[in-house]
């Protein structure tokens, strides 16, 4: 079995999940290795699927997408309880991170 660049990127993403203390803090964004590598993997994966013109999904991926839709409905319900701009910013950062990691 020969690993591709996409496989190596996935393994690297999974291996840095415990590096939580390595982060870059700004006023708007908190970046961690996990967030950066997970985003890079998602972009590379989607790019690879588009390049190969592969639109088929495995049944397990379809089930996972269904759970993602249900969880996102619950998460979106929290939007209606936001009180100020700071809460909206925090909610947007949370839904962005959740979407990448899901």
């Amino acid at each position: 079995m020969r690993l591709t660049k996409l496989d190596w990127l996935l393994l690297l993403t999974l291996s840095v999940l415990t590096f939580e203390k390595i982060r870059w803090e700004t006023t708007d964004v908190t970046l961690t290795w996990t967030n950066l590598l997970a985003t890079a993997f998602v972009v590379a994966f989607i790019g690879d699927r588009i390049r190969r013109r592969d639109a088929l999904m495995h049944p397990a991926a379809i089930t996972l997408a269904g759970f993602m839709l249900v969880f996102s409905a619950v998460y979106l319900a929290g939007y209606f309880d936001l009180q100020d701009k700071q809460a909206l910013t925090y909610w947007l950062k949370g839904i962005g991170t959740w979407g990448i990691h899901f």
Side-chain angles (χ1 to χ4, degrees), residues 11-69:
L11 289 173
L12 183 63
T13 301
L14 294 174
S15 67
V16 299
L17 286 174
T18 59
F19 297 170
E20 189 62 32
K21 297 291 183 185
I22 301 174
R23 65 176 61 206
W24 296 272
E25 300 267 350
T26 66
T27 56
D28 298 327
V29 174
T30 301
L31 292 175
T32 63
W33 278 111
T34 306
N35 290 345
L36 293 174
L37 289 172
T39 303
F41 174 75
V42 168
V43 169
F45 180 75
I46 291 172
D48 183 58
R49 295 291 294 249
I50 290 171
R51 183 182 57 82
R52 292 187 296 140
R53 292 188 173 102
D54 184 9
L56 297 176
M57 288 182 68
H58 192 274
I62 294 171
T63 304
L64 186 65
F67 277 104
M68 182 178 178
L69 289 174

Short mmCIF file of all heavy atoms in Angstrom, two decimals, residues 11-69:
data_model
loop_
_atom_site.label_atom_id
_atom_site.label_comp_id
_atom_site.label_asym_id
_atom_site.label_seq_id
_atom_site.Cartn_x
_atom_site.Cartn_y
_atom_site.Cartn_z
N LEU A 11 -2.84 11.92 8.14
CA LEU A 11 -2.10 11.38 9.28
C LEU A 11 -1.46 12.48 10.10
O LEU A 11 -1.44 12.43 11.34
CB LEU A 11 -1.04 10.39 8.79
CG LEU A 11 -1.58 9.06 8.26
CD1 LEU A 11 -0.44 8.23 7.65
CD2 LEU A 11 -2.27 8.29 9.36
N LEU A 12 -0.93 13.49 9.44
CA LEU A 12 -0.33 14.62 10.16
C LEU A 12 -1.39 15.37 10.95
O LEU A 12 -1.17 15.75 12.11
CB LEU A 12 0.38 15.55 9.17
CG LEU A 12 1.11 16.74 9.77
CD1 LEU A 12 2.24 16.27 10.67
CD2 LEU A 12 1.65 17.62 8.67
N THR A 13 -2.56 15.57 10.34
CA THR A 13 -3.66 16.25 11.04
C THR A 13 -4.08 15.48 12.28
O THR A 13 -4.29 16.06 13.35
CB THR A 13 -4.87 16.40 10.09
OG1 THR A 13 -4.47 17.13 8.94
CG2 THR A 13 -6.01 17.12 10.77
N LEU A 14 -4.19 14.17 12.18
CA LEU A 14 -4.59 13.36 13.32
C LEU A 14 -3.51 13.29 14.40
O LEU A 14 -3.81 13.15 15.58
CB LEU A 14 -4.95 11.95 12.86
CG LEU A 14 -6.19 11.85 11.98
CD1 LEU A 14 -6.37 10.44 11.47
CD2 LEU A 14 -7.42 12.33 12.72
N SER A 15 -2.25 13.41 14.00
CA SER A 15 -1.17 13.29 14.98
C SER A 15 -0.96 14.54 15.81
O SER A 15 -0.38 14.47 16.89
CB SER A 15 0.14 12.89 14.29
OG SER A 15 0.58 13.94 13.46
N VAL A 16 -1.42 15.70 15.35
CA VAL A 16 -1.20 16.93 16.11
C VAL A 16 -2.41 17.33 16.94
O VAL A 16 -2.44 18.42 17.50
CB VAL A 16 -0.79 18.10 15.19
CG1 VAL A 16 0.48 17.81 14.46
CG2 VAL A 16 -1.90 18.48 14.25
N LEU A 17 -3.39 16.46 17.07
CA LEU A 17 -4.58 16.79 17.86
C LEU A 17 -4.25 17.09 19.31
O LEU A 17 -4.98 17.81 19.99
CB LEU A 17 -5.60 15.66 17.78
CG LEU A 17 -6.34 15.53 16.46
CD1 LEU A 17 -7.22 14.30 16.47
CD2 LEU A 17 -7.17 16.76 16.18
N THR A 18 -3.16 16.53 19.82
CA THR A 18 -2.82 16.74 21.23
C THR A 18 -1.95 17.97 21.45
O THR A 18 -1.63 18.29 22.58
CB THR A 18 -2.07 15.52 21.78
OG1 THR A 18 -0.89 15.32 21.00
CG2 THR A 18 -2.94 14.28 21.73
N PHE A 19 -1.59 18.68 20.40
CA PHE A 19 -0.75 19.88 20.52
C PHE A 19 -1.62 21.10 20.81
O PHE A 19 -1.48 22.13 20.18
CB PHE A 19 0.06 20.12 19.25
CG PHE A 19 1.04 19.06 18.91
CD1 PHE A 19 1.67 19.07 17.68
CD2 PHE A 19 1.36 18.05 19.78
CE1 PHE A 19 2.59 18.09 17.35
CE2 PHE A 19 2.27 17.06 19.45
CZ PHE A 19 2.89 17.09 18.23
N GLU A 20 -2.48 21.04 21.77
CA GLU A 20 -3.43 22.11 22.06
C GLU A 20 -2.75 23.37 22.57
O GLU A 20 -3.25 24.47 22.39
CB GLU A 20 -4.46 21.61 23.07
CG GLU A 20 -5.61 22.53 23.29
CD GLU A 20 -6.46 22.77 22.05
OE1 GLU A 20 -6.57 21.86 21.23
OE2 GLU A 20 -7.00 23.87 21.91
N LYS A 21 -1.61 23.25 23.22
CA LYS A 21 -0.94 24.41 23.79
C LYS A 21 -0.24 25.26 22.74
O LYS A 21 0.09 26.41 22.99
CB LYS A 21 0.08 23.98 24.85
CG LYS A 21 -0.53 23.29 26.03
CD LYS A 21 -1.34 24.26 26.84
CE LYS A 21 -1.90 23.57 28.06
NZ LYS A 21 -2.78 24.39 28.82
N ILE A 22 0.01 24.70 21.56
CA ILE A 22 0.67 25.46 20.49
C ILE A 22 -0.42 26.20 19.72
O ILE A 22 -1.16 25.62 18.96
CB ILE A 22 1.47 24.53 19.55
CG1 ILE A 22 2.51 23.77 20.34
CG2 ILE A 22 2.11 25.34 18.44
CD1 ILE A 22 3.23 22.73 19.54
N ARG A 23 -0.50 27.50 19.95
CA ARG A 23 -1.55 28.31 19.33
C ARG A 23 -1.08 29.73 19.12
O ARG A 23 -0.15 30.19 19.76
CB ARG A 23 -2.83 28.28 20.14
CG ARG A 23 -2.68 28.93 21.49
CD ARG A 23 -3.95 28.99 22.29
NE ARG A 23 -4.46 27.68 22.56
CZ ARG A 23 -5.73 27.41 22.77
NH1 ARG A 23 -6.62 28.35 22.75
NH2 ARG A 23 -6.12 26.19 23.02
N TRP A 24 -1.74 30.42 18.21
CA TRP A 24 -1.48 31.82 17.95
C TRP A 24 -2.77 32.57 18.25
O TRP A 24 -3.80 32.32 17.66
CB TRP A 24 -1.08 32.04 16.50
CG TRP A 24 0.20 31.37 16.17
CD1 TRP A 24 1.45 31.89 16.30
CD2 TRP A 24 0.38 30.04 15.68
NE1 TRP A 24 2.38 30.96 15.92
CE2 TRP A 24 1.75 29.83 15.53
CE3 TRP A 24 -0.49 29.00 15.35
CZ2 TRP A 24 2.26 28.63 15.08
CZ3 TRP A 24 0.01 27.82 14.91
CH2 TRP A 24 1.38 27.64 14.76
N GLU A 25 -2.68 33.51 19.18
CA GLU A 25 -3.86 34.27 19.61
C GLU A 25 -3.84 35.67 19.00
O GLU A 25 -2.83 36.35 19.04
CB GLU A 25 -3.86 34.41 21.15
CG GLU A 25 -3.89 33.12 21.91
CD GLU A 25 -5.28 32.69 22.26
OE1 GLU A 25 -6.22 33.48 22.09
OE2 GLU A 25 -5.43 31.55 22.71
N THR A 26 -4.95 36.05 18.40
CA THR A 26 -5.17 37.42 17.97
C THR A 26 -6.50 37.87 18.55
O THR A 26 -7.20 37.09 19.20
CB THR A 26 -5.20 37.54 16.43
OG1 THR A 26 -6.34 36.85 15.95
CG2 THR A 26 -3.94 36.98 15.80
N THR A 27 -6.86 39.11 18.31
CA THR A 27 -8.13 39.59 18.86
C THR A 27 -9.31 38.94 18.15
O THR A 27 -10.38 38.79 18.74
CB THR A 27 -8.23 41.12 18.71
OG1 THR A 27 -8.05 41.46 17.33
CG2 THR A 27 -7.19 41.81 19.55
N ASP A 28 -9.13 38.52 16.90
CA ASP A 28 -10.24 37.95 16.14
C ASP A 28 -10.22 36.43 16.07
O ASP A 28 -11.27 35.80 16.00
CB ASP A 28 -10.23 38.49 14.71
CG ASP A 28 -10.42 40.00 14.67
OD1 ASP A 28 -11.14 40.51 15.55
OD2 ASP A 28 -9.86 40.65 13.79
N VAL A 29 -9.02 35.83 16.05
CA VAL A 29 -8.90 34.41 15.75
C VAL A 29 -7.90 33.76 16.69
O VAL A 29 -6.89 34.36 17.06
CB VAL A 29 -8.44 34.21 14.29
CG1 VAL A 29 -8.17 32.77 13.98
CG2 VAL A 29 -9.45 34.78 13.33
N THR A 30 -8.17 32.53 17.08
CA THR A 30 -7.22 31.68 17.77
C THR A 30 -6.88 30.53 16.83
O THR A 30 -7.74 29.73 16.49
CB THR A 30 -7.81 31.13 19.08
OG1 THR A 30 -8.16 32.21 19.92
CG2 THR A 30 -6.81 30.24 19.79
N LEU A 31 -5.64 30.47 16.38
CA LEU A 31 -5.21 29.44 15.44
C LEU A 31 -4.41 28.38 16.18
O LEU A 31 -3.54 28.69 16.96
CB LEU A 31 -4.34 30.04 14.34
CG LEU A 31 -5.03 30.97 13.36
CD1 LEU A 31 -4.02 31.58 12.40
CD2 LEU A 31 -6.09 30.22 12.59
N THR A 32 -4.73 27.13 15.90
CA THR A 32 -3.96 26.01 16.43
C THR A 32 -3.47 25.17 15.26
O THR A 32 -3.98 25.29 14.14
CB THR A 32 -4.81 25.13 17.37
OG1 THR A 32 -5.88 24.57 16.61
CG2 THR A 32 -5.36 25.92 18.55
N TRP A 33 -2.49 24.31 15.54
CA TRP A 33 -1.99 23.41 14.51
C TRP A 33 -3.13 22.55 13.96
O TRP A 33 -3.23 22.29 12.77
CB TRP A 33 -0.90 22.50 15.05
CG TRP A 33 0.44 23.12 15.08
CD1 TRP A 33 1.14 23.48 16.19
CD2 TRP A 33 1.27 23.47 13.97
NE1 TRP A 33 2.34 24.03 15.82
CE2 TRP A 33 2.45 24.02 14.45
CE3 TRP A 33 1.10 23.36 12.59
CZ2 TRP A 33 3.46 24.47 13.62
CZ3 TRP A 33 2.12 23.80 11.76
CH2 TRP A 33 3.27 24.35 12.28
N THR A 34 -3.99 22.11 14.85
CA THR A 34 -5.10 21.24 14.44
C THR A 34 -6.02 21.96 13.46
O THR A 34 -6.40 21.40 12.44
CB THR A 34 -5.89 20.79 15.67
OG1 THR A 34 -5.00 20.19 16.59
CG2 THR A 34 -6.97 19.81 15.30
N ASN A 35 -6.37 23.21 13.77
CA ASN A 35 -7.24 23.96 12.87
C ASN A 35 -6.59 24.19 11.51
O ASN A 35 -7.25 24.05 10.48
CB ASN A 35 -7.61 25.31 13.48
CG ASN A 35 -8.53 25.17 14.67
OD1 ASN A 35 -9.11 24.13 14.90
ND2 ASN A 35 -8.63 26.22 15.46
N LEU A 36 -5.32 24.55 11.51
CA LEU A 36 -4.63 24.80 10.24
C LEU A 36 -4.52 23.54 9.40
O LEU A 36 -4.81 23.56 8.19
CB LEU A 36 -3.24 25.38 10.51
CG LEU A 36 -3.20 26.78 11.13
CD1 LEU A 36 -1.77 27.16 11.49
CD2 LEU A 36 -3.80 27.79 10.18
N LEU A 37 -4.10 22.44 10.00
CA LEU A 37 -3.94 21.21 9.24
C LEU A 37 -5.28 20.60 8.82
O LEU A 37 -5.40 20.05 7.72
CB LEU A 37 -3.12 20.20 10.03
CG LEU A 37 -1.64 20.57 10.16
CD1 LEU A 37 -0.94 19.63 11.12
CD2 LEU A 37 -0.97 20.55 8.81
N ALA A 38 -6.30 20.71 9.67
CA ALA A 38 -7.61 20.20 9.30
C ALA A 38 -8.18 21.00 8.12
O ALA A 38 -8.76 20.43 7.19
CB ALA A 38 -8.57 20.25 10.48
N THR A 39 -8.00 22.31 8.14
CA THR A 39 -8.45 23.15 7.03
C THR A 39 -7.70 22.79 5.76
O THR A 39 -8.30 22.66 4.68
CB THR A 39 -8.27 24.63 7.36
OG1 THR A 39 -8.98 24.93 8.56
CG2 THR A 39 -8.77 25.52 6.24
N ALA A 40 -6.37 22.60 5.87
CA ALA A 40 -5.58 22.22 4.70
C ALA A 40 -6.03 20.87 4.15
O ALA A 40 -6.12 20.69 2.93
CB ALA A 40 -4.09 22.18 5.06
N PHE A 41 -6.33 19.93 5.03
CA PHE A 41 -6.80 18.62 4.58
C PHE A 41 -8.15 18.72 3.87
O PHE A 41 -8.35 18.11 2.82
CB PHE A 41 -6.90 17.63 5.73
CG PHE A 41 -7.51 16.33 5.31
CD1 PHE A 41 -6.78 15.43 4.56
CD2 PHE A 41 -8.83 16.03 5.63
CE1 PHE A 41 -7.36 14.24 4.13
CE2 PHE A 41 -9.41 14.85 5.20
CZ PHE A 41 -8.66 13.95 4.45
N VAL A 42 -9.08 19.47 4.43
CA VAL A 42 -10.41 19.59 3.81
C VAL A 42 -10.29 20.23 2.42
O VAL A 42 -10.89 19.76 1.45
CB VAL A 42 -11.37 20.40 4.73
CG1 VAL A 42 -12.63 20.79 4.00
CG2 VAL A 42 -11.70 19.62 5.97
N VAL A 43 -9.47 21.28 2.31
CA VAL A 43 -9.27 21.93 1.00
C VAL A 43 -8.62 20.97 0.02
O VAL A 43 -9.04 20.86 -1.14
CB VAL A 43 -8.44 23.23 1.18
CG1 VAL A 43 -7.98 23.77 -0.16
CG2 VAL A 43 -9.24 24.26 1.94
N ALA A 44 -7.58 20.25 0.45
CA ALA A 44 -6.90 19.30 -0.43
C ALA A 44 -7.82 18.15 -0.83
O ALA A 44 -7.82 17.72 -1.99
CB ALA A 44 -5.65 18.75 0.25
N PHE A 45 -8.63 17.67 0.11
CA PHE A 45 -9.56 16.58 -0.18
C PHE A 45 -10.60 17.00 -1.21
O PHE A 45 -10.87 16.28 -2.18
CB PHE A 45 -10.23 16.11 1.11
CG PHE A 45 -11.21 14.98 0.91
CD1 PHE A 45 -10.75 13.70 0.69
CD2 PHE A 45 -12.56 15.22 0.93
CE1 PHE A 45 -11.64 12.66 0.51
CE2 PHE A 45 -13.46 14.19 0.74
CZ PHE A 45 -13.00 12.90 0.53
N ILE A 46 -11.20 18.16 -1.00
CA ILE A 46 -12.21 18.65 -1.94
C ILE A 46 -11.57 18.91 -3.31
O ILE A 46 -12.13 18.57 -4.35
CB ILE A 46 -12.91 19.90 -1.39
CG1 ILE A 46 -13.78 19.51 -0.19
CG2 ILE A 46 -13.74 20.59 -2.46
CD1 ILE A 46 -14.37 20.68 0.55
N GLY A 47 -10.36 19.48 -3.31
CA GLY A 47 -9.65 19.71 -4.57
C GLY A 47 -9.36 18.41 -5.30
O GLY A 47 -9.50 18.32 -6.53
N ASP A 48 -8.97 17.37 -4.56
CA ASP A 48 -8.69 16.07 -5.16
C ASP A 48 -9.96 15.45 -5.73
O ASP A 48 -9.94 14.87 -6.82
CB ASP A 48 -8.07 15.14 -4.11
CG ASP A 48 -7.69 13.80 -4.68
OD1 ASP A 48 -6.88 13.77 -5.64
OD2 ASP A 48 -8.21 12.77 -4.18
N ARG A 49 -11.07 15.56 -5.01
CA ARG A 49 -12.34 15.00 -5.52
C ARG A 49 -12.80 15.74 -6.77
O ARG A 49 -13.31 15.12 -7.70
CB ARG A 49 -13.42 15.10 -4.44
CG ARG A 49 -13.19 14.29 -3.19
CD ARG A 49 -13.29 12.81 -3.41
NE ARG A 49 -14.60 12.36 -3.76
CZ ARG A 49 -15.38 11.62 -2.99
NH1 ARG A 49 -14.96 11.23 -1.82
NH2 ARG A 49 -16.57 11.25 -3.41
N ILE A 50 -12.61 17.06 -6.82
CA ILE A 50 -12.98 17.83 -8.00
C ILE A 50 -12.08 17.47 -9.17
O ILE A 50 -12.54 17.30 -10.30
CB ILE A 50 -12.94 19.34 -7.70
CG1 ILE A 50 -14.09 19.71 -6.75
CG2 ILE A 50 -13.04 20.16 -8.99
CD1 ILE A 50 -14.02 21.12 -6.22
N ARG A 51 -10.79 17.33 -8.91
CA ARG A 51 -9.83 17.01 -9.96
C ARG A 51 -10.14 15.65 -10.58
O ARG A 51 -10.06 15.47 -11.79
CB ARG A 51 -8.40 17.00 -9.40
CG ARG A 51 -7.32 16.75 -10.45
CD ARG A 51 -5.94 16.70 -9.82
NE ARG A 51 -5.80 15.71 -8.77
CZ ARG A 51 -5.58 14.42 -8.97
NH1 ARG A 51 -5.50 13.94 -10.18
NH2 ARG A 51 -5.46 13.59 -7.95
N ARG A 52 -10.52 14.67 -9.76
CA ARG A 52 -10.84 13.33 -10.25
C ARG A 52 -12.28 13.20 -10.73
O ARG A 52 -12.68 12.14 -11.20
CB ARG A 52 -10.57 12.29 -9.16
CG ARG A 52 -9.11 12.13 -8.84
CD ARG A 52 -8.85 10.98 -7.90
NE ARG A 52 -9.47 11.21 -6.59
CZ ARG A 52 -10.09 10.28 -5.89
NH1 ARG A 52 -10.18 9.06 -6.34
NH2 ARG A 52 -10.61 10.56 -4.72
N ARG A 53 -13.08 14.26 -10.57
CA ARG A 53 -14.50 14.26 -10.92
C ARG A 53 -15.23 13.09 -10.25
O ARG A 53 -16.00 12.36 -10.87
CB ARG A 53 -14.68 14.21 -12.44
CG ARG A 53 -14.23 15.47 -13.12
CD ARG A 53 -14.61 15.45 -14.58
NE ARG A 53 -14.30 16.72 -15.18
CZ ARG A 53 -13.23 16.95 -15.93
NH1 ARG A 53 -12.37 15.99 -16.15
NH2 ARG A 53 -13.05 18.15 -16.45
N ASP A 54 -14.97 12.95 -8.96
CA ASP A 54 -15.53 11.86 -8.17
C ASP A 54 -16.61 12.41 -7.24
O ASP A 54 -16.30 13.07 -6.25
CB ASP A 54 -14.43 11.18 -7.37
CG ASP A 54 -14.91 9.98 -6.60
OD1 ASP A 54 -16.05 9.55 -6.81
OD2 ASP A 54 -14.12 9.46 -5.78
N ALA A 55 -17.86 12.17 -7.56
CA ALA A 55 -18.96 12.70 -6.76
C ALA A 55 -19.62 11.63 -5.90
O ALA A 55 -20.56 11.91 -5.17
CB ALA A 55 -20.00 13.35 -7.66
N LEU A 56 -19.15 10.38 -5.99
CA LEU A 56 -19.76 9.30 -5.21
C LEU A 56 -19.37 9.40 -3.75
O LEU A 56 -18.24 9.76 -3.42
CB LEU A 56 -19.31 7.95 -5.78
CG LEU A 56 -19.74 7.65 -7.20
CD1 LEU A 56 -19.16 6.33 -7.66
CD2 LEU A 56 -21.26 7.63 -7.30
N MET A 57 -20.31 9.07 -2.88
CA MET A 57 -20.04 9.09 -1.44
C MET A 57 -20.30 7.71 -0.87
O MET A 57 -21.27 7.04 -1.24
CB MET A 57 -20.92 10.13 -0.74
CG MET A 57 -20.52 11.55 -1.01
SD MET A 57 -21.54 12.73 -0.11
CE MET A 57 -21.07 12.43 1.56
N HIS A 58 -19.46 7.30 0.05
CA HIS A 58 -19.61 6.04 0.75
C HIS A 58 -20.84 6.14 1.66
O HIS A 58 -21.14 7.22 2.18
CB HIS A 58 -18.34 5.78 1.57
CG HIS A 58 -18.26 4.40 2.11
ND1 HIS A 58 -18.84 4.05 3.30
CD2 HIS A 58 -17.68 3.28 1.62
CE1 HIS A 58 -18.62 2.78 3.53
NE2 HIS A 58 -17.90 2.29 2.51
N PRO A 59 -21.57 5.05 1.89
CA PRO A 59 -22.74 5.10 2.77
C PRO A 59 -22.42 5.63 4.18
O PRO A 59 -23.25 6.32 4.78
CB PRO A 59 -23.22 3.65 2.82
CG PRO A 59 -22.77 3.07 1.53
CD PRO A 59 -21.46 3.74 1.22
N ALA A 60 -21.25 5.32 4.68
CA ALA A 60 -20.87 5.84 6.01
C ALA A 60 -20.72 7.36 5.96
O ALA A 60 -21.09 8.06 6.92
CB ALA A 60 -19.58 5.20 6.48
N ALA A 61 -20.22 7.90 4.86
CA ALA A 61 -20.08 9.35 4.72
C ALA A 61 -21.44 10.02 4.61
O ALA A 61 -21.64 11.12 5.12
CB ALA A 61 -19.22 9.68 3.50
N ILE A 62 -22.38 9.36 3.96
CA ILE A 62 -23.74 9.90 3.86
C ILE A 62 -24.39 9.93 5.24
O ILE A 62 -25.05 10.91 5.61
CB ILE A 62 -24.57 9.07 2.86
CG1 ILE A 62 -23.99 9.24 1.45
CG2 ILE A 62 -26.04 9.47 2.90
CD1 ILE A 62 -24.58 8.31 0.42
N THR A 63 -24.20 8.88 6.03
CA THR A 63 -24.73 8.85 7.40
C THR A 63 -24.11 9.94 8.24
O THR A 63 -24.81 10.64 8.99
CB THR A 63 -24.47 7.47 8.03
OG1 THR A 63 -25.04 6.46 7.21
CG2 THR A 63 -25.04 7.39 9.43
N LEU A 64 -22.80 10.12 8.12
CA LEU A 64 -22.11 11.18 8.87
C LEU A 64 -22.62 12.55 8.46
O LEU A 64 -22.81 13.43 9.31
CB LEU A 64 -20.61 11.07 8.64
CG LEU A 64 -19.73 12.00 9.45
CD1 LEU A 64 -19.83 11.67 10.93
CD2 LEU A 64 -18.29 11.89 9.00
N ALA A 65 -22.87 12.75 7.17
CA ALA A 65 -23.41 14.03 6.71
C ALA A 65 -24.81 14.27 7.28
O ALA A 65 -25.16 15.41 7.62
CB ALA A 65 -23.45 14.06 5.18
N GLY A 66 -25.60 13.20 7.41
CA GLY A 66 -26.92 13.34 8.03
C GLY A 66 -26.82 13.77 9.48
O GLY A 66 -27.57 14.65 9.93
N PHE A 67 -25.90 13.15 10.24
CA PHE A 67 -25.70 13.57 11.62
C PHE A 67 -25.20 15.01 11.69
O PHE A 67 -25.58 15.76 12.59
CB PHE A 67 -24.71 12.64 12.33
CG PHE A 67 -25.34 11.40 12.87
CD1 PHE A 67 -25.18 10.18 12.22
CD2 PHE A 67 -26.12 11.44 14.01
CE1 PHE A 67 -25.76 9.04 12.70
CE2 PHE A 67 -26.71 10.30 14.51
CZ PHE A 67 -26.54 9.09 13.85
N MET A 68 -24.35 15.39 10.74
CA MET A 68 -23.84 16.77 10.73
C MET A 68 -24.99 17.75 10.53
O MET A 68 -25.03 18.80 11.18
CB MET A 68 -22.81 16.94 9.63
CG MET A 68 -22.20 18.31 9.59
SD MET A 68 -20.96 18.39 8.29
CE MET A 68 -20.47 20.10 8.43
N LEU A 69 -25.93 17.43 9.67
CA LEU A 69 -27.09 18.31 9.46
C LEU A 69 -27.95 18.42 10.71
O LEU A 69 -28.42 19.50 11.06
CB LEU A 69 -27.91 17.81 8.28
CG LEU A 69 -27.29 17.99 6.91
CD1 LEU A 69 -28.16 17.32 5.85
CD2 LEU A 69 -27.10 19.46 6.59
#
